[in-house]
Amino acid sequence: MTTNARRPDERDESGAQNFIANIIEEDLASGRHSRVVTRFPPEPNGYLHIGHVKSICLNFGLARDFKGVCHLRMDDTNPTTEDVEYVENIQRDVRWLGFDWADKLFYASDYFDRLHGFAVELIKKGKAYVDSLSETEIREYRGTVTEPGRPSPYRDRSVEENLDLFERMRKGEFPEGAHVLRMKGDLASPNMKMRDWPMYRIKRAHHYRTGDKWCIYPLYDFAHSLSDAIEGITHSICTLEFENNRELYDWFVENVDVPARPRQYEFARLNLTYTVMSKRKLLELVKGGSVRGWDDPRMPTIAGMRRRGVTPEALRAFCEEVGVAKANSTVEVEKLEHFIRGDLDRRSPRVMAVLRPLKVVLENYPEDRVEEFDVPYFPDDAARGGARKVPFCREFYIEKDDFALDPPDKWHRLAPGREVRLRNAYIIKCHDVIKHPDTGEVVELRCTYDPASRGEGGAEGGRKVKGTLHWVSVRHALRAEVRLYDRLFRDERPDLVEEGVDWKTGLNPESLAVAEGAALEPSLATAEPGKHFQFERQGFFFVDPVDAKPGAPVFNRTVSLKDSWAKIAEPKAPPKAQERPKAEEKAAKRLTPEERLAGLDPARQAEVQRFEGRGLGREEAIVLAEDPALGRLFEEAAAAHASNLRGVASLVINELPRALKGKSVETLPFGGAAVGELVALIDDRTITPTIAKEVLLAMLEKGGSPRAIVEQKGMRQVSDASAIEPIVDRVIAEHAGEVARYRAGNQKLIGFFVGRVMKLSNGKANAELVNELLTRKLG
Ligand code: ATP
Ligand code: MG
């Protein structure tokens, strides 16, 4: 049994610097190695994902930094799941990331003959034997963490018998499972891997490269360590799960006559929120049709990210930033998005596209006139040249969200009587609003323009207005498909599901939305596949390289402009360590309030008292004290709407977490004041509590003031009897049976009638008024 001497990697606990680079530096300085050889060893049983990117950047990056070489090795020893399609795409993806293996492309399957030779060598040395126990028996004999293993009755077979049986295994004389070849380790070792771990098994399967030549295949630890040794790898870097395999790795390399003695080092694998990363799960998504393929832009695969418009530079910078650590952790996906944005920002020309169009007519602009503005692609960087013509005329679109009937404070966009600047064009003023006769939805705006305000800053000495909107001429608009991708999963940790629950239930049903009726500036008609653009004020978009046709581009939203990472990254009190993982939170919910209170530190317990002192219930107070971010939000909301603290608490404690679906309060795009305003809207009967939930969802999506959302979406509560009466009459007319029963004395049916009316009013009717009208009419 090998003793593991203390290694230099154990001195670096911080993870702040690349501890593997330190080791390499020392190895080169001490002359232990003269040249670094690393390898990236994917199994070609799926496409590479963002976790692999981390490993690729590390292995190829070290080779580059130390002027060594990195091999690309297909770890293809399991014939049943591997395929050339995967081999080809792995190569494509590594190259795309910007790395080069020169002529060092290898296949573990090319070593099958040599590996077989090593196995024979171990048998001859008495260090391997053929076992004929079944898989279950082998597991039983292996013992447990507390009990040593027992020797198999076949453990002492002679070398001759072992050689003979192994040869007959190779020739295909036995069925699968009849025998396995095991290393002869130490059955009392605390490391289960050392208790005679299997090396070879019988598998009658066609291999995509070696065909039917073999019916025995080497297992991971044996094949992997010795493939490293064959190639003269100096530093074999893998993820932490393989820490226990290291002893076995060393055992193989020491006991076989190989040209090199590579060493294994482990680092923390990359995990990302809102993402699953195992190839097995990704394959399940592909096969089950949850996505459109391995390269679906929602997939965390390199192929998917590439198609979405993510750049190799962004991925490399992200991996650099995440660093190489020894402790597993989960990185917020916002961080990745932050790096994608940062890279796209410098490379993407700015253009205008309206995703949810609202038509504007300029009443004082001649009907047949068309102006063409020369607009630079990089307005902030004059040196970067390049411009296109953008046509302007009497009718154009703006974003629906850029108009509010009754704007909140600090609204810098368009509203009745207000002025805004049209990007690269004129200042306009809104005079009239045309609504849909039935729905009341705003369908058109009537505006005038100020002819003197043409060009940035305004002609007459730069008349300034606060807001600037993007727009697209109606007559010239390009109608193209714009795909708005969102996260593939709703849950922050989709892999952490309770037992018996399918992890795919965490999929986000809205991960792909097509912007219906999007209107794009005409220059985009010739946008070439694979080009990046910034749609001003919207996000970064990429011309889909697969579905685009000449003259008919399809745009994928790579990432929106809103950077929520900066917000998350801000230092916040309390420090992160105090945040509890979700599973623990769930367990906490099952504790009694008393137990939860007892589990809090004295400062938090004092908080509970303080909240109780303000009139909140014990449980409410505990929830707020347990989550300081939630507590702070409550305080802010209470300050904004002090007249109904219980209402504020109820919204903060019940509705908000429900709407957040596991996301942290810190990711909210609005503060406590907006929450207070929302409760105020319920209290002054502007909206019903049902509508409040909808407003909350809209706030979560885009931020913004609840009052503005209510106005913009026409969500006001209806307290006008003349508007509700017709609905009440209709419900009474349609439910003659219930009416008769009510009149016969079944007063409980009032709830049924109120429910019907509320439903027909889309939840907007004032429930008290409905009740009153119904009671009166039902007599
Ligand atoms: P998966 O579980 O996704 O199938 P894997 O580890 O089985 O991944 P391999 O093809 O065997 O996939 O991995 C090739 C290399 O990439 C290995 O060295 C592995 O340690 C590394 N790797 C895989 N996933 C990650 C990750 N999330 N973070 C960092 N490295 C990873
Ligand atoms: Mg693997």
Side-chain angles (χ1 to χ4, degrees):
M1 177 181 163
T2 328
T3 48
N4 276 319
R6 198 178 150 82
R7 291 189 176 182
D9 55 330
E10 276 149 80
R11 82 205 142 105
D12 186 337
E13 298 295 314
S14 71
Q17 48 186 341
N18 185 338
F19 70 91
I20 300 174
N22 293 344
I23 293 168
I24 293 180
E25 221 158 55
E26 271 171 35
D27 287 347
L28 292 174
S30 71
R32 191 185 146 85
H33 296 295
S34 54
R35 191 162 98 120
V36 175
V37 186
T38 55
R39 87 286 172 269
F40 173 63
E43 182 179 357
N45 60 352
Y47 281 55
L48 300 180
H49 52 63
I50 177 94
H52 294 116
V53 174
K54 176 82 196 278
S55 178
I56 295 168
C57 289
L58 180 60
N59 280 296
F60 281 93
L62 286 169
R64 176 200 57 213
D65 295 348
F66 290 98
K67 304 204 166 27
V69 54
C70 180
H71 297 183
L72 175 61
R73 183 198 316 142
M74 300 300 158
D75 188 10
D76 54 357
T77 55
N78 180 6
T80 46
T81 52
E82 295 157 3
D83 199 284
V84 272
E85 180 203 341
Y86 300 135
V87 171
E88 282 161 10
N89 280 289
I90 287 171
Q91 294 181 53
R92 176 180 181 201
D93 290 349
V94 174
R95 262 205 201 98
W96 176 80
L97 264 182
F99 296 107
D100 185 10
W101 53 87
D103 57 345
K104 306 293 182 199
L105 170 63
F106 300 106
Y107 295 83
S109 56
D110 282 353
Y111 307 143
F112 280 169
D113 281 310
R114 287 177 80 182
L115 292 171
H116 177 259
F118 292 147
V120 170
E121 180 185 337
L122 284 171
I123 295 174
K124 285 184 177 159
K125 288 178 176 167
K127 293 187 181 218
Y129 64 98
V130 174
D131 197 355
S132 310
L133 291 180
S134 70
E135 218 182 306
T136 335
E137 287 167 326
I138 289 181
R139 211 175 309 124
E140 280 165 18
Y141 273 73
R142 187 172 284 134
T144 63
V145 196
T146 49
E147 284 167 53
R150 282 178 293 138
S152 157
Y154 306 103
R155 198 172 196 254
D156 291 323
R157 277 175 169 155
S158 69
V159 169
E160 289 66 38
E161 190 182 0
N162 281 323
L163 284 174
D164 175 58
L165 282 172
F166 188 51
E167 177 58 9
R168 288 167 59 198
M169 279 167 68
R170 188 189 67 76
K171 282 189 180 151
E173 290 185 19
F174 306 114
E176 284 187 13
H179 308 283
V180 286
L181 183 70
R182 299 174 72 177
M183 53 82 75
K184 202 178 252 183
D186 173 3
L187 293 171
S189 170
N191 183 349
M192 305 294 275
K193 295 260 161 189
M194 296 310 290
R195 298 185 186 177
D196 295 8
W197 206 254
M199 293 163 50
Y200 261 99
R201 63 180 160 179
I202 302 171
K203 192 151 202 164
R204 295 181 180 279
H206 185 86
H207 188 279
Y208 78 101
R209 291 187 91 233
T210 57
D212 297 315
K213 176 172 175 195
W214 296 92
C215 63
I216 53 170
Y217 289 94
L219 287 155
Y220 174 81
D221 297 275
F222 172 74
H224 190 77
S225 54
L226 294 174
S227 299
D228 278 352
I230 289 171
E231 290 176 18
I233 301 299
T234 54
H235 299 80
S236 174
I237 302 163
C238 63
T239 40
L240 281 179
E241 323 78 275
F242 292 98
E243 205 162 1
N244 280 338
N245 301 52
R246 193 204 301 154
E247 201 179 341
L248 186 56
Y249 184 104
D250 290 342
W251 190 92
F252 283 125
V253 173
E254 269 163 28
N255 286 290
V256 172
D257 184 20
V258 277
R261 270 227 45 189
R263 281 201 169 198
Q264 177 183 304
Y265 299 91
E266 306 90 22
F267 74 105
R269 63 189 292 124
L270 174 71
N271 297 304
L272 267 188
T273 54
Y274 299 97
T275 312
V276 296
M277 254 187 236
S278 100
K279 281 182 281 186
R280 186 177 54 76
K281 286 190 172 151
L282 296 177
L283 179 64
E284 212 176 312
L285 294 178
V286 172
K287 287 221 165 123
S290 306
V291 293
R292 294 179 179 174
W294 283 101
D295 70 344
D296 186 302
R298 292 165 291 181
M299 290 280 271
T301 52
I302 297 181
M305 293 188 289
R306 173 172 58 227
R307 186 165 171 194
R308 183 161 172 155
V310 175
T311 59
E313 289 82 357
L315 291 177
R316 294 201 305 258
F318 167 70
C319 287
E320 190 75 28
E321 161 71 20
V322 168
V324 182
K326 279 283 268 180
N328 277 320
S329 66
T330 300
V331 176
E332 279 96 350
V333 72
E334 288 87 350
K335 187 174 202 159
L336 172 61
E337 289 165 356
H338 175 79
F339 277 88
I340 296 170
R341 224 174 256 120
D343 183 67
L344 292 176
D345 189 51
R346 55 184 185 84
R347 68 170 78 230
S348 310
R350 273 58 167 163
V351 293
M352 295 196 286
V354 176
L355 302 184
R356 294 177 65 229
L358 172 62
K359 189 167 146 186
V360 180
V361 177
L362 288 185
E363 292 180 322
N364 61 340
Y365 196 97
E367 209 146 326
D368 47 2
R369 185 162 149 209
V370 177
E371 283 179 86
E372 277 196 326
F373 300 120
D374 279 307
V375 183
Y377 277 121
F378 290 95
D380 303 331
D381 187 356
R384 277 186 84 172
R388 80 287 188 192
K389 293 203 182 304
V390 182
F392 181 81
C393 58
R394 181 180 157 90
E395 295 186 348
F396 53 88
Y397 297 113
I398 63 167
E399 260 349 298
K400 270 198 181 119
D401 291 351
D402 282 338
F403 175 79
L405 262 179
D406 182 9
D409 296 348
K410 297 192 191 145
W411 178 260
H412 296 321
R413 297 176 248 169
L414 201 55
R418 302 265 188 108
E419 281 189 322
V420 290
R421 174 172 291 284
L422 295 177
R423 185 100 170 115
N424 309 308
Y426 299 101
I427 291 176
I428 62 164
K429 182 170 189 172
C430 176
H431 296 283
D432 266 315
V433 175
I434 297 174
K435 295 183 185 169
H436 190 281
D438 302 328
T439 62
E441 189 196 358
V442 176
V443 289
E444 188 179 306
L445 304 178
R446 293 274 162 168
C447 300
T448 53
Y449 83 113
D450 172 3
S453 65
R454 181 174 162 169
E456 245 5 328
E460 8 86 301
R463 191 155 78 82
K464 293 265 187 299
V465 292
K466 280 256 168 67
T468 301
L469 307 186
H470 61 279
W471 52 273
V472 168
S473 158
V474 170
R475 207 187 315 163
H476 305 90
L478 167 72
R479 302 292 179 171
E481 185 171 335
V482 179
R483 298 172 181 168
L484 304 175
Y485 291 106
D486 200 346
R487 288 178 188 145
L488 187 52
F489 289 92
R490 275 181 311 204
D491 296 341
E492 193 171 318
R493 297 290 309 273
D495 46 341
L496 291 187
V497 287
E498 275 158 40
E499 239 181 72
V501 177
D502 180 2
W503 58 274
K504 292 196 289 306
T505 53
L507 281 167
N508 174 9
E510 277 143 31
S511 57
L512 168 57
V514 173
E516 297 297 341
L520 287 63
E521 66 163 75
S523 74
L524 286 168
T526 53
E528 286 164 26
K531 289 276 187 248
H532 302 273
F533 292 94
Q534 183 191 123
F535 288 3
E536 292 208 39
R537 302 177 62 236
Q538 294 284 0
F540 294 102
F541 289 75
F542 185 63
V543 186
D544 190 285
V546 180
D547 292 336
K549 306 220 164 45
V554 171
F555 293 88
N556 296 332
R557 182 170 67 194
T558 313
V559 66
S560 69
L561 282 183
K562 205 172 127 228
D563 192 338
S564 36
W565 169 243
K567 215 169 166 186
I568 294 174
E570 268 173 24
K572 50 190 169 189
K576 266 210 124 144
Q578 289 198 14
E579 269 172 35
R580 289 183 300 159
K582 230 178 161 185
E584 257 181 66
E585 243 164 54
K586 274 190 189 145
K589 289 209 180 96
R590 287 193 292 273
L591 299 176
T592 66
E594 269 35 66
E595 287 168 327
R596 285 166 69 185
L597 188 60
L600 293 174
D601 63 41
R604 305 265 138 241
Q605 288 181 352
E607 282 282 275
V608 172
Q609 277 194 351
R610 202 173 58 77
F611 285 125
E612 281 187 303
R614 302 186 64 183
L616 302 188
R618 162 76 45 107
E619 291 216 48
E620 288 175 333
I622 293 175
V623 173
L624 294 179
E626 279 176 340
D627 183 346
L630 202 66
R632 276 196 304 279
L633 190 83
F634 167 77
E635 291 295 2
E636 279 173 41
H641 185 57
S643 59
N644 181 6
L645 290 193
R646 298 211 61 138
V648 169
S650 161
L651 197 120
V652 168
I653 292 169
N654 302 318
E655 297 308 331
L656 190 65
R658 209 170 288 153
L660 273 169
K661 291 187 184 130
K663 269 189 265 177
S664 133
V665 176
E666 265 113 328
T667 63
L668 283 178
F670 52 83
V675 175
E677 188 179 314
L678 181 59
V679 180
L681 288 172
I682 306 173
D683 289 353
D684 69 22
R685 309 247 168 95
T686 306
I687 54 173
T688 62
T690 315
I691 293 296
K693 291 180 197 168
E694 258 179 66
V695 177
L696 189 60
L697 288 178
M699 289 162 67
L700 275 171
E701 203 177 300
K702 296 224 169 70
S705 126
R707 196 171 288 277
I709 292 169
V710 168
E711 291 314 332
Q712 213 178 312
K713 303 201 170 181
M715 294 164 129
R716 263 175 183 282
Q717 166 162 259
V718 180
S719 294
D720 173 0
S722 66
I724 300 176
E725 259 191 81
I727 307 179
V728 170
D729 291 293
R730 183 177 145 195
V731 168
I732 292 178
E734 280 174 347
H735 298 280
E738 281 84 351
V739 172
R741 275 156 54 209
Y742 177 88
R743 291 193 171 134
N746 189 349
Q747 304 273 314
K748 277 193 206 148
L749 277 171
I750 190 74
F752 163 80
F753 292 113
V754 174
R756 292 302 309 157
V757 176
M758 291 306 290
K759 181 135 204 229
L760 288 172
S761 78
N762 292 324
K764 287 193 224 162
N766 176 332
E768 272 166 61
L769 184 59
V770 171
N771 212 310
E772 199 184 297
L773 287 171
L774 276 166
T775 322
R776 183 150 50 83
K777 293 200 178 221
L778 288 165

